[in-house]
Amino acid sequence: TPIVAALEPFPRTLVHGDVRAANVAVRDQARNGESAVFFDWGRAAFAAPTADLGFFLGFTALERPTGVDRAIHAYEAGLRERLGGRWPTSWERQRELGLLAGMLQSGLACRAFWGVHVLAVEDERAAAIEREALQGWEPRLRAAVGLL
């Protein structure tokens, strides 16, 4: 697919493939701080790590529409800490393509581009919340499509 080809030059790692609240638990370890435990590895794959971020954000976009930029910032801050001074020069491209891949997997892109509701929207209030959440993603997804 075009997204797989566009992500080919970038590093890949083991990704969960279905990162959402139902598949993650946080353990509080008194001495070592918090740690995450992931369940249901049935969709695991070797892919761009940003695809998991995109899937998570796409899956939770309607629940937390204002937290998307904060989540991306937190992800990047953690990555910067782990990589030290070895920040990839092509990070923005990799991030946007990975987000697009995850968004497509989560179904958010279908709702943003074509108004297809993956989840049933039962009332006008819920539909309005969905439209508002998707408005912020549409330009970003369209720009990422332009990178293909």
Side-chain angles (χ1 to χ4, degrees):
T1 67
I3 294 176
V4 172
L7 285 167
E8 188 64 33
F10 302 113
R12 290 178 284 164
T13 190
L14 176 66
V15 297
H16 184 272
D18 192 13
V19 178
R20 55 192 170 101
N23 291 335
V24 181
V26 177
R27 279 193 316 194
D28 183 12
Q29 298 174 322
R31 286 193 235 189
N32 299 328
E34 294 179 343
S35 64
V37 179
F38 292 83
F39 304 98
D40 186 6
W41 286 83
R43 297 177 73 181
F46 193 61
T50 51
D52 260 351
L53 176 64
F55 180 84
F56 172 76
L57 293 174
F59 196 85
T60 62
L62 303 181
E63 300 166 14
R64 297 180 198 94
T66 59
V68 170
D69 289 333
R70 281 196 321 252
I72 292 171
H73 178 74
Y75 181 91
E76 290 179 351
L79 187 60
R80 282 184 191 277
E81 182 180 318
R82 298 233 190 286
L83 293 178
R86 301 174 293 126
W87 190 252
T89 57
S90 57
W91 170 248
E92 287 76 19
R93 181 180 177 86
Q94 179 183 351
R95 178 192 63 212
E96 296 307 311
L97 288 167
L99 289 174
L100 176 61
M103 295 290 178
L104 288 169
Q105 182 185 9
S106 72
L108 180 75
C110 296
R111 297 192 308 265
F113 287 149
W114 303 290
V116 175
H117 298 284
V118 177
L119 304 173
V121 178
E122 299 191 10
D123 62 35
E124 185 53 38
R125 181 173 170 260
I129 292 169
E130 181 176 271
R131 280 191 302 275
E132 182 179 338
L134 296 175
Q135 283 176 345
W137 277 105
E138 185 178 358
R140 180 176 221 139
L141 295 174
R142 287 191 186 280
V145 168
L147 297 173
L148 298 178

